[in-house]
Amino acid sequence: MDTSLYLRLAVSKDKEGILSLAKQGIEIQRPEDVIKNTYTLEFLNLPELDRYTEGDLEQRIIDNLQIFLLELGKGFTFVGRQYKITVNNVQYHVDLVFYHRILKCFVLIDLKKNSVKHEDIGQMNMYLGYFAIEENMPDDNAPIGIILSKNKDELLVEYATYGMDSNLFVAKYELYLPNRKDLERLVANILNNND
């Protein structure tokens, strides 16, 4: 339940492969090995309704940093929040900055309360370029960018990231795990569609 194994099994066509990975653990070698499609932020206790801001989301993550690091997975270390960068005398702030000890790279997270927009992707791409040139040490790998949003339009993301760095990811977050009825319905729909 804690690792959302039930969701991964429900949506996967390779259930044996998923169970095998769950038993042996995953080897972390590429950015794709550490980035989840959906992050469950239930521990933040934010209202499901739109009564929170991106600032509230960020503050709750900072207040629950240890649990958030567990949700991110193995190897993440916290660097800072509202990390200031300056480009041509204009200041920008990366919401959250981590360093991944195994991949040896910075991981930049931009939080979005609603849907990700194409300009958010362009902004993250700029952050990645800045970190690659200005912050990386000679033995660091290329930084990873994650835009964490409540909603994700797959087609918009595909077009907006066309030809861009493959280290830029858009992932969803959910504030609560689905209730039992919704989960049973999801599993039933998937099983019926696989027949």
Side-chain angles (χ1 to χ4, degrees):
M1 191 73 140
D2 292 339
T3 63
S4 299
L5 177 60
Y6 65 95
L7 280 176
R8 289 182 285 150
L9 279 171
V11 298
S12 175
K13 293 183 194 265
D14 180 17
K15 294 180 186 352
E16 268 110 46
I18 295 291
L19 284 172
S20 171
L21 279 175
K23 288 177 186 167
Q24 75 185 40
I26 190 167
E27 283 188 41
I28 299 173
Q29 298 175 346
R30 307 166 304 159
E32 294 84 3
D33 296 336
V34 298
I35 308 301
K36 296 179 185 178
N37 216 13
T38 303
Y39 292 85
T40 302
L41 306 180
E42 189 170 38
F43 58 90
L44 300 180
N45 294 317
L46 283 168
E48 184 68 47
L49 302 173
D50 291 337
R51 294 180 294 187
Y52 66 93
T53 65
E54 287 174 6
D56 294 334
L57 180 62
E58 180 181 322
Q59 186 60 51
R60 294 279 180 100
I61 287 172
I62 294 300
D63 292 346
N64 295 279
L65 189 57
Q66 182 177 1
I67 300 170
F68 185 67
L69 285 168
L70 290 172
E71 176 64 20
L72 288 175
K74 183 178 176 181
F76 286 89
T77 58
F78 181 65
V79 174
R81 77 185 280 200
Q82 292 301 310
Y83 194 96
K84 184 171 66 171
I85 64 174
T86 305
V87 177
N88 286 335
N89 294 321
V90 177
Q91 291 185 352
Y92 300 91
H93 296 89
V94 183
D95 290 340
L96 300 168
V97 177
F98 296 88
Y99 190 84
H100 199 277
R101 296 178 307 107
I102 299 166
L103 293 175
K104 298 191 182 316
C105 67
F106 285 102
V107 179
L108 317 177
I109 297 180
D110 196 17
L111 302 169
K112 297 296 167 199
K113 178 183 169 190
N114 295 310
S115 295
V116 66
K117 298 180 180 128
H118 63 87
E119 55 264 25
D120 301 325
I121 292 170
Q123 180 177 331
M124 178 57 79
N125 197 48
M126 180 192 72
Y127 293 165
L128 290 173
Y130 179 89
F131 268 77
I133 294 168
E134 302 294 336
E135 298 284 339
N136 271 10
M137 293 293 169
D139 58 338
D140 284 339
N141 291 311
I144 298 170
I146 304 171
I147 302 171
L148 197 53
S149 66
K150 181 78 171 126
N151 302 306
K152 177 182 173 184
D153 180 334
E154 297 286 346
L155 191 58
L156 179 131
V157 170
E158 180 182 343
Y159 290 155
T161 58
Y162 179 79
M164 274 191 181
D165 190 329
S166 63
N167 281 357
L168 194 157
F169 299 88
V170 177
K172 286 177 51 174
Y173 68 85
E174 55 188 26
L175 294 175
Y176 296 96
L177 289 170
N179 65 38
R180 183 182 181 112
K181 276 189 163 188
D182 290 342
L183 185 57
E184 287 172 352
R185 194 175 318 117
L186 173 67
V187 170
N189 285 341
I190 291 168
L191 291 175
N192 289 335
N193 290 334
N194 286 337
D195 291 340

